[in-house]
Amino acid sequence: MELLTEFDADIVALAVSALSVAAYYFFLSLKVRDNPTYTIHGVHELARRLWVANIMRNPDKGIMGVQTLRNWIMGSTLMASTAAILIIGTLTLSGQAENITRSWHVLSMGSTASAELWIIKVMCLLVTFIVAFFAFAMSVRLANHVVFMINVPEFEAHHNLSPESVARRLHRSGTMFSIGMRAFLFAIPLVFWLFGPYFLLAASIGLVITLYRLDRSESEGALVAGSSVKQQNAPVVPIQAKYAK
């Protein structure tokens, strides 16, 4: 009980931060249930499905498909390498508890410079980077599968090599890439937590606000803007015309 009392500020800040992120994703799930393209992730899923169908039904575009997937794999490989470097750096921090805990908490109020708490914070950060590395590695693995599948002629394909099946595998690769990127973003509040609980709370709130702006698709924002313009009895430019240039 004395240990919990000593770390009460950090526990409360961590709980509030986790609940705020959970509440945001619950809100997002409700929106996606009504409109699958409410988020940019839903738009990307639709685009991948149509792209795979277009490539597999037009053999002349096979080279373009392979080049696109190569760029995808290169990006995932770069991010996996970055996650590996961050894992090594975080492991280095775990051995510096006695030296830097007090100096890093100089701006913190209501927190303790305990070496045990420092190890817990570093371990949370380490787990986040490991999740990112695993997700990016799985993204590379699934994209490598798609490289071979996407050039199979549709009329000769097994049912597991149909455009729909290949699109699902590519979507899984995209999902793993998104998980890796989210892990990087969630690492930001954890890094601020090293300086104190109030920094964690502020960074978590800022992250939720940023994700809310980034996750919504452009079409959703355009529809909201169009509605406000209509209320002012002003002419509305169609969305298609905006992107036709």
Side-chain angles (χ1 to χ4, degrees):
M1 294 300 295
E2 294 180 359
L3 186 64
L4 294 178
T5 304
E6 183 181 3
F7 301 151
D8 56 351
D10 292 275
I11 294 174
V12 171
L14 182 61
V16 172
S17 300
L19 288 176
S20 62
V21 173
Y24 167 71
Y25 275 100
F26 179 73
F27 163 79
L28 211 61
S29 65
L30 295 179
K31 288 291 186 178
V32 171
R33 187 179 304 174
D34 296 333
N35 179 16
T37 58
Y38 176 82
T39 66
I40 193 65
H41 306 290
V43 176
H44 287 170
E45 179 182 359
L46 177 62
R48 293 186 193 108
R49 188 185 310 123
L50 297 176
W51 180 78
V52 169
N54 183 41
I55 295 295
M56 296 189 71
R57 291 168 184 168
N58 296 277
D60 296 338
K61 297 184 178 180
I63 296 178
M64 181 188 69
V66 172
Q67 289 179 340
T68 303
L69 289 171
R70 180 197 63 184
N71 295 336
W72 177 282
I73 293 173
M74 289 175 60
S76 298
T77 303
L78 175 63
M79 300 307 294
S81 301
T82 303
I85 295 173
L86 291 173
I87 290 172
I88 296 174
T90 305
L91 289 174
T92 303
L93 279 178
S94 64
Q96 304 295 323
E98 296 294 339
N99 298 328
I100 60 179
T101 48
R102 296 186 182 278
S103 61
W104 282 34
H105 281 75
V106 66
L107 298 178
S108 179
M109 297 178 294
S111 181
T112 177
S114 170
E116 293 81 3
L117 181 60
W118 173 267
I119 294 299
I120 293 175
K121 294 178 180 180
V122 172
M123 286 298 297
C124 292
L125 191 60
L126 180 62
V127 170
T128 303
F129 289 141
I130 290 176
V131 169
F133 174 81
F134 177 80
F136 287 127
M138 289 298 297
S139 178
V140 172
R141 170 182 173 270
L142 293 169
N144 274 320
H145 294 173
V146 176
V147 168
F148 293 96
M149 295 176 178
I150 202 167
N151 282 326
V152 177
E154 181 183 357
F155 58 88
E156 295 179 357
H158 187 269
H159 64 89
N160 286 328
L161 300 175
S162 63
E164 293 77 12
S165 179
V166 176
R168 284 195 298 270
R169 190 172 294 271
L170 181 61
H171 175 60
R172 290 173 189 166
S173 177
T175 300
M176 297 306 297
F177 188 91
S178 298
I179 292 174
M181 290 301 301
R182 287 302 157 111
F184 276 175
L185 293 177
F186 291 152
I188 296 175
L190 293 177
V191 171
F192 277 95
W193 191 22
L194 297 176
F195 296 91
Y198 299 107
F199 292 99
L200 166 65
L201 189 59
S204 299
I205 295 175
L207 178 62
V208 170
I209 295 174
T210 303
L211 289 178
Y212 175 73
R213 297 181 62 88
L214 294 178
D215 282 340
R216 290 184 301 169
S217 62
E218 292 185 6
S219 59
E220 184 69 22
L223 289 174
V224 174
S227 300
S228 63
V229 173
K230 286 181 179 179
Q231 292 175 358
Q232 298 174 4
N233 296 323
V236 180
V237 179
I239 297 176
Q240 292 81 0
K242 177 181 178 182
Y243 296 100
K245 298 180 180 179

